[in-house]
Structures are given as C-alpha cells and as structure tokens.
C-alpha cells in the first residue's frame, strides 16, 4: 500500500515542478522524474504560465481541475511532449504504457502487480473524452489517479 502512496506523490511531481530549476535535483533522481521536470519547464515556457494557470490546482488526492483552460493547456503540453496525446486528443496507448511503466517502477524492473495496474489503468482510462487535448490530458491523469486510489482502498 505504501508503494501506491509513493506513486501518487510522484505523479504529482509532474504538476508541481512547473518552473523550478534542476539545482535541487539529486543525481540519483529517476529519469522519468527528470523528464517530468524538463517537460514542465519547457511547457511553462511554451504556453506561458501565470498565477491563473495554477489557480485551484491543489493536492486533492492527486486530482486536477479540468475546468482551468490555462492549466489544461499546460498539462496537455506535457502529455503531448511525452507523445501520450496529440493536438486532436488521440491517445497513443503505447506511449502511455511506457510512461506509466517508467513512472510506477521508477525505471527499475517492473513488478507483476505494477504491470497489472498499468494495464488496468490503460484499459479503464484510454477512452476518456475532453473538449480538447489539454482537458483530455487532465482527465486521463485524473482517471489514473482514481484507479490508484481505488486500488489502495481494496
């Protein structure tokens, strides 16, 4: 159960690092976390961030608001950089799978239970809809977080 809490925390890192620098990052930080930081920084520059971008983006069990257009654009940019969604909102399941495996395992060998969680998350979340690729990206994130929370509760 503690591993799932850690995973939830790590997923939130992608959201909260938006513009922070690499100066406080350890050399043993997993690549997937470093990539999330870089993607966050690049997207912050690309889409431009303001106080409104992160308005109402709080730690609510890892769920993100999907009604903040500025944040949706930022988060959609992150998912687009990872190749998880395109501008039309089409999900690349293979890239989502790779990202989740790397995130859940922190680039180590993935345990069978983690692989099962990745596959069930993809199956449950791959048909999520949104008004645009940004909102769809946030909703995919929220679907995966809900899946993690439900798994922890079991």
């Amino acid at each position: 159960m503690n591993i799932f809490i850690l995973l939830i925390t790590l997923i939130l890192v992608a959201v909260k690092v938006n513009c922070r620098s690499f100066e406080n990052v350890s050399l043993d930080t997993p690549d997937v976390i470093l990539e999330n930081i870089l993607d966050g920084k690049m997207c912050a520059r690309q889409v431009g961030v303001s106080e409104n971008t992160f308005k109402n983006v709080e730690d609510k069990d890892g769920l993100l608001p999907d009604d903040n257009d500025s944040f949706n654009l930022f988060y959609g940019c992150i998912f687009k950089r990872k190749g998880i969604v395109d501008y039309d909102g089409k999900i690349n399941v293979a890239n989502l799978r790779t990202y989740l495996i790397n995130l859940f395992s922190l680039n180590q060998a993935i345990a069978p239970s983690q692989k099962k969680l990745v596959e069930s998350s993809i199956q449950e979340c791959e048909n999520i809809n949104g008004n645009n690729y940004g909102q769809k990206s946030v909703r995919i994130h929220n679907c995966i977080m809900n899946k993690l929370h439900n798994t922890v509760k079991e």
Side-chain angles (χ1 to χ4, degrees):
M1 185 158 107
N2 288 337
I3 187 72
F4 293 114
I5 293 169
L6 173 65
L7 293 174
I8 290 168
T9 302
L10 291 174
I11 290 172
L12 288 175
V13 168
V15 174
K16 294 191 176 191
V17 297
N18 56 51
C19 297
R20 295 185 186 143
S21 69
F22 283 95
E23 64 191 38
N24 294 325
V25 176
S26 168
L27 290 175
D28 58 347
T29 301
D31 290 346
V32 67
I33 302 302
L34 293 173
E35 290 166 6
N36 283 343
I37 294 169
L38 179 60
D39 288 339
K41 287 178 66 80
M42 296 300 291
C43 288
R45 289 183 184 141
Q46 181 178 336
V47 305
V49 294
S50 67
E51 287 183 26
N52 289 336
T53 303
F54 298 100
K55 186 177 181 181
N56 298 323
V57 178
E58 302 160 359
D59 187 0
K60 297 178 182 175
D61 293 329
L63 300 178
L64 305 172
D66 68 358
D67 60 349
N68 179 330
D69 292 337
S70 181
F71 183 77
N72 288 348
L73 186 61
F74 169 75
Y75 208 75
C77 175
I78 291 173
F79 267 38
K80 187 175 176 312
R81 283 182 56 85
K82 294 181 179 313
I84 294 171
V85 298
D86 63 17
Y87 281 121
D88 296 322
K90 183 178 177 191
I91 297 174
N92 182 316
V93 174
N95 289 349
L96 177 59
R97 178 177 291 110
T98 299
Y99 174 65
L100 291 177
I101 286 171
N102 289 340
L103 188 63
F104 287 13
S105 68
L106 298 176
N107 295 346
Q108 303 296 315
I110 189 163
S113 61
Q114 291 171 317
K115 179 112 171 126
K116 183 178 176 185
L117 181 59
V118 166
E119 294 305 323
S120 64
S121 295
I122 290 170
Q123 188 175 33
E124 191 169 314
C125 302
E126 69 181 324
N127 294 315
I128 293 293
N129 293 314
N131 294 331
N132 53 52
Y133 78 99
Q135 187 179 59
K136 188 170 187 172
S137 297
V138 169
R139 288 182 175 175
I140 291 168
H141 167 92
N142 287 344
C143 179
I144 292 167
M145 292 306 295
N146 281 324
K147 178 71 175 168
L148 289 174
H149 286 291
N150 292 335
T151 301
V152 169
K153 290 177 186 176
E154 293 176 356

mmCIF file of all heavy atoms in Angstrom, residues 65-88:
data_model
loop_
_atom_site.group_PDB
_atom_site.id
_atom_site.type_symbol
_atom_site.label_atom_id
_atom_site.label_comp_id
_atom_site.label_asym_id
_atom_site.label_seq_id
_atom_site.Cartn_x
_atom_site.Cartn_y
_atom_site.Cartn_z
ATOM 1 N N PRO A 65 -8.040 19.960 -11.474
ATOM 2 C CA PRO A 65 -9.255 20.560 -12.032
ATOM 3 C C PRO A 65 -9.200 20.496 -13.561
ATOM 4 O O PRO A 65 -8.164 20.758 -14.156
ATOM 5 C CB PRO A 65 -9.199 22.002 -11.534
ATOM 6 C CG PRO A 65 -7.747 22.273 -11.329
ATOM 7 C CD PRO A 65 -7.146 20.960 -10.898
ATOM 8 N N ASP A 66 -10.308 20.117 -14.177
ATOM 9 C CA ASP A 66 -10.323 20.043 -15.645
ATOM 10 C C ASP A 66 -11.060 21.229 -16.259
ATOM 11 O O ASP A 66 -11.311 21.255 -17.456
ATOM 12 C CB ASP A 66 -10.899 18.717 -16.131
ATOM 13 C CG ASP A 66 -12.379 18.557 -15.837
ATOM 14 O OD1 ASP A 66 -12.981 19.458 -15.222
ATOM 15 O OD2 ASP A 66 -12.940 17.514 -16.228
ATOM 16 N N ASP A 67 -11.377 22.238 -15.435
ATOM 17 C CA ASP A 67 -12.105 23.407 -15.923
ATOM 18 C C ASP A 67 -11.240 24.668 -15.959
ATOM 19 O O ASP A 67 -11.741 25.765 -16.103
ATOM 20 C CB ASP A 67 -13.351 23.644 -15.075
ATOM 21 C CG ASP A 67 -13.026 23.898 -13.602
ATOM 22 O OD1 ASP A 67 -11.862 23.682 -13.190
ATOM 23 O OD2 ASP A 67 -13.941 24.291 -12.864
ATOM 24 N N ASN A 68 -9.923 24.500 -15.847
ATOM 25 C CA ASN A 68 -8.977 25.612 -15.884
ATOM 26 C C ASN A 68 -8.267 25.549 -17.236
ATOM 27 O O ASN A 68 -7.352 24.748 -17.440
ATOM 28 C CB ASN A 68 -7.988 25.471 -14.721
ATOM 29 C CG ASN A 68 -6.933 26.556 -14.673
ATOM 30 O OD1 ASN A 68 -6.534 27.094 -15.697
ATOM 31 N ND2 ASN A 68 -6.453 26.845 -13.476
ATOM 32 N N ASP A 69 -8.721 26.377 -18.175
ATOM 33 C CA ASP A 69 -8.200 26.310 -19.545
ATOM 34 C C ASP A 69 -6.691 26.501 -19.619
ATOM 35 O O ASP A 69 -6.006 25.829 -20.389
ATOM 36 C CB ASP A 69 -8.888 27.338 -20.441
ATOM 37 C CG ASP A 69 -10.353 27.012 -20.689
ATOM 38 O OD1 ASP A 69 -10.734 25.829 -20.557
ATOM 39 O OD2 ASP A 69 -11.108 27.936 -21.020
ATOM 40 N N SER A 70 -6.164 27.412 -18.817
ATOM 41 C CA SER A 70 -4.727 27.675 -18.816
ATOM 42 C C SER A 70 -3.955 26.452 -18.322
ATOM 43 O O SER A 70 -2.937 26.058 -18.909
ATOM 44 C CB SER A 70 -4.441 28.896 -17.938
ATOM 45 O OG SER A 70 -3.071 29.187 -17.923
ATOM 46 N N PHE A 71 -4.436 25.844 -17.250
ATOM 47 C CA PHE A 71 -3.776 24.646 -16.732
ATOM 48 C C PHE A 71 -3.928 23.486 -17.707
ATOM 49 O O PHE A 71 -2.983 22.717 -17.919
ATOM 50 C CB PHE A 71 -4.321 24.257 -15.354
ATOM 51 C CG PHE A 71 -3.607 23.071 -14.784
ATOM 52 C CD1 PHE A 71 -2.343 23.215 -14.237
ATOM 53 C CD2 PHE A 71 -4.176 21.801 -14.832
ATOM 54 C CE1 PHE A 71 -1.657 22.115 -13.740
ATOM 55 C CE2 PHE A 71 -3.496 20.715 -14.338
ATOM 56 C CZ PHE A 71 -2.235 20.863 -13.786
ATOM 57 N N ASN A 72 -5.101 23.340 -18.310
ATOM 58 C CA ASN A 72 -5.305 22.270 -19.295
ATOM 59 C C ASN A 72 -4.298 22.387 -20.431
ATOM 60 O O ASN A 72 -3.744 21.381 -20.889
ATOM 61 C CB ASN A 72 -6.724 22.309 -19.858
ATOM 62 C CG ASN A 72 -7.772 21.852 -18.873
ATOM 63 O OD1 ASN A 72 -7.473 21.297 -17.820
ATOM 64 N ND2 ASN A 72 -9.018 22.099 -19.205
ATOM 65 N N LEU A 73 -4.062 23.610 -20.891
ATOM 66 C CA LEU A 73 -3.094 23.835 -21.961
ATOM 67 C C LEU A 73 -1.693 23.417 -21.518
ATOM 68 O O LEU A 73 -0.963 22.742 -22.256
ATOM 69 C CB LEU A 73 -3.110 25.305 -22.379
ATOM 70 C CG LEU A 73 -2.266 25.697 -23.578
ATOM 71 C CD1 LEU A 73 -2.714 24.963 -24.831
ATOM 72 C CD2 LEU A 73 -2.345 27.207 -23.802
ATOM 73 N N PHE A 74 -1.316 23.798 -20.299
ATOM 74 C CA PHE A 74 -0.016 23.426 -19.743
ATOM 75 C C PHE A 74 0.111 21.910 -19.623
ATOM 76 O O PHE A 74 1.082 21.316 -20.085
ATOM 77 C CB PHE A 74 0.160 24.100 -18.374
ATOM 78 C CG PHE A 74 1.341 23.600 -17.588
ATOM 79 C CD1 PHE A 74 2.624 23.973 -17.927
ATOM 80 C CD2 PHE A 74 1.153 22.746 -16.516
ATOM 81 C CE1 PHE A 74 3.722 23.521 -17.205
ATOM 82 C CE2 PHE A 74 2.238 22.284 -15.784
ATOM 83 C CZ PHE A 74 3.518 22.666 -16.125
ATOM 84 N N TYR A 75 -0.879 21.262 -19.026
ATOM 85 C CA TYR A 75 -0.797 19.818 -18.807
ATOM 86 C C TYR A 75 -0.895 19.057 -20.125
ATOM 87 O O TYR A 75 -0.234 18.038 -20.319
ATOM 88 C CB TYR A 75 -1.878 19.355 -17.819
ATOM 89 C CG TYR A 75 -1.465 18.134 -17.052
ATOM 90 C CD1 TYR A 75 -0.541 18.221 -16.016
ATOM 91 C CD2 TYR A 75 -1.966 16.876 -17.366
ATOM 92 C CE1 TYR A 75 -0.137 17.108 -15.316
ATOM 93 C CE2 TYR A 75 -1.567 15.756 -16.664
ATOM 94 C CZ TYR A 75 -0.660 15.877 -15.650
ATOM 95 O OH TYR A 75 -0.253 14.762 -14.963
ATOM 96 N N GLY A 76 -1.709 19.573 -21.044
ATOM 97 C CA GLY A 76 -1.788 18.963 -22.372
ATOM 98 C C GLY A 76 -0.452 19.024 -23.084
ATOM 99 O O GLY A 76 -0.049 18.089 -23.782
ATOM 100 N N CYS A 77 0.263 20.125 -22.903
ATOM 101 C CA CYS A 77 1.601 20.265 -23.484
ATOM 102 C C CYS A 77 2.528 19.180 -22.946
ATOM 103 O O CYS A 77 3.295 18.572 -23.708
ATOM 104 C CB CYS A 77 2.146 21.654 -23.177
ATOM 105 S SG CYS A 77 3.859 21.916 -23.708
ATOM 106 N N ILE A 78 2.455 18.920 -21.644
ATOM 107 C CA ILE A 78 3.299 17.874 -21.049
ATOM 108 C C ILE A 78 2.982 16.521 -21.677
ATOM 109 O O ILE A 78 3.877 15.786 -22.098
ATOM 110 C CB ILE A 78 3.120 17.834 -19.517
ATOM 111 C CG1 ILE A 78 3.726 19.088 -18.877
ATOM 112 C CG2 ILE A 78 3.752 16.576 -18.924
ATOM 113 C CD1 ILE A 78 3.451 19.233 -17.398
ATOM 114 N N PHE A 79 1.702 16.179 -21.769
ATOM 115 C CA PHE A 79 1.317 14.894 -22.352
ATOM 116 C C PHE A 79 1.668 14.836 -23.839
ATOM 117 O O PHE A 79 2.033 13.786 -24.352
ATOM 118 C CB PHE A 79 -0.170 14.632 -22.128
ATOM 119 C CG PHE A 79 -0.470 13.841 -20.881
ATOM 120 C CD1 PHE A 79 0.245 14.024 -19.704
ATOM 121 C CD2 PHE A 79 -1.489 12.904 -20.876
ATOM 122 C CE1 PHE A 79 -0.029 13.291 -18.565
ATOM 123 C CE2 PHE A 79 -1.776 12.157 -19.743
ATOM 124 C CZ PHE A 79 -1.044 12.356 -18.589
ATOM 125 N N LYS A 80 1.562 15.967 -24.532
ATOM 126 C CA LYS A 80 1.934 15.989 -25.944
ATOM 127 C C LYS A 80 3.434 15.772 -26.100
ATOM 128 O O LYS A 80 3.871 15.022 -26.976
ATOM 129 C CB LYS A 80 1.504 17.297 -26.595
ATOM 130 C CG LYS A 80 1.734 17.284 -28.092
ATOM 131 C CD LYS A 80 1.202 18.525 -28.734
ATOM 132 C CE LYS A 80 1.531 18.538 -30.204
ATOM 133 N NZ LYS A 80 2.906 18.237 -30.542
ATOM 134 N N ARG A 81 4.247 16.422 -25.259
ATOM 135 C CA ARG A 81 5.705 16.231 -25.325
ATOM 136 C C ARG A 81 6.088 14.773 -25.095
ATOM 137 O O ARG A 81 7.063 14.293 -25.647
ATOM 138 C CB ARG A 81 6.417 17.119 -24.297
ATOM 139 C CG ARG A 81 6.512 18.574 -24.708
ATOM 140 C CD ARG A 81 7.282 19.398 -23.679
ATOM 141 N NE ARG A 81 8.610 18.876 -23.415
ATOM 142 C CZ ARG A 81 9.699 19.159 -24.133
ATOM 143 N NH1 ARG A 81 9.613 19.948 -25.175
ATOM 144 N NH2 ARG A 81 10.874 18.663 -23.792
ATOM 145 N N LYS A 82 5.327 14.082 -24.261
ATOM 146 C CA LYS A 82 5.595 12.679 -23.982
ATOM 147 C C LYS A 82 5.041 11.760 -25.082
ATOM 148 O O LYS A 82 5.255 10.560 -25.057
ATOM 149 C CB LYS A 82 4.990 12.279 -22.636
ATOM 150 C CG LYS A 82 5.636 12.979 -21.456
ATOM 151 C CD LYS A 82 5.024 12.547 -20.153
ATOM 152 C CE LYS A 82 5.684 13.235 -18.983
ATOM 153 N NZ LYS A 82 7.140 13.243 -18.997
ATOM 154 N N GLY A 83 4.289 12.348 -26.010
ATOM 155 C CA GLY A 83 3.688 11.564 -27.084
ATOM 156 C C GLY A 83 2.474 10.767 -26.615
ATOM 157 O O GLY A 83 2.063 9.829 -27.277
ATOM 158 N N ILE A 84 1.896 11.151 -25.483
ATOM 159 C CA ILE A 84 0.742 10.430 -24.951
ATOM 160 C C ILE A 84 -0.528 10.854 -25.680
ATOM 161 O O ILE A 84 -1.401 10.036 -25.940
ATOM 162 C CB ILE A 84 0.618 10.647 -23.426
ATOM 163 C CG1 ILE A 84 1.828 10.004 -22.727
ATOM 164 C CG2 ILE A 84 -0.689 10.073 -22.890
ATOM 165 C CD1 ILE A 84 1.932 10.326 -21.247
ATOM 166 N N VAL A 85 -0.646 12.146 -26.015
ATOM 167 C CA VAL A 85 -1.768 12.645 -26.804
ATOM 168 C C VAL A 85 -1.230 13.530 -27.914
ATOM 169 O O VAL A 85 -0.118 14.048 -27.823
ATOM 170 C CB VAL A 85 -2.806 13.453 -25.967
ATOM 171 C CG1 VAL A 85 -3.436 12.613 -24.897
ATOM 172 C CG2 VAL A 85 -2.194 14.701 -25.398
ATOM 173 N N ASP A 86 -2.038 13.704 -28.959
ATOM 174 C CA ASP A 86 -1.684 14.663 -29.998
ATOM 175 C C ASP A 86 -2.661 15.835 -29.918
ATOM 176 O O ASP A 86 -3.546 15.866 -29.055
ATOM 177 C CB ASP A 86 -1.664 14.014 -31.386
ATOM 178 C CG ASP A 86 -3.010 13.474 -31.847
ATOM 179 O OD1 ASP A 86 -4.062 13.848 -31.271
ATOM 180 O OD2 ASP A 86 -3.023 12.676 -32.793
ATOM 181 N N TYR A 87 -2.507 16.817 -30.804
ATOM 182 C CA TYR A 87 -3.362 18.008 -30.759
ATOM 183 C C TYR A 87 -4.845 17.680 -30.939
ATOM 184 O O TYR A 87 -5.703 18.423 -30.502
ATOM 185 C CB TYR A 87 -2.934 19.032 -31.813
ATOM 186 C CG TYR A 87 -1.743 19.843 -31.412
ATOM 187 C CD1 TYR A 87 -0.587 19.835 -32.181
ATOM 188 C CD2 TYR A 87 -1.763 20.635 -30.265
ATOM 189 C CE1 TYR A 87 0.521 20.590 -31.818
ATOM 190 C CE2 TYR A 87 -0.659 21.380 -29.889
ATOM 191 C CZ TYR A 87 0.472 21.354 -30.675
ATOM 192 O OH TYR A 87 1.566 22.093 -30.308
ATOM 193 N N ASP A 88 -5.128 16.565 -31.596
ATOM 194 C CA ASP A 88 -6.522 16.159 -31.791
ATOM 195 C C ASP A 88 -7.068 15.382 -30.597
ATOM 196 O O ASP A 88 -8.228 14.999 -30.588
ATOM 197 C CB ASP A 88 -6.656 15.303 -33.056
ATOM 198 C CG ASP A 88 -6.309 16.090 -34.312
ATOM 199 O OD1 ASP A 88 -6.660 17.294 -34.368
ATOM 200 O OD2 ASP A 88 -5.693 15.517 -35.230
#
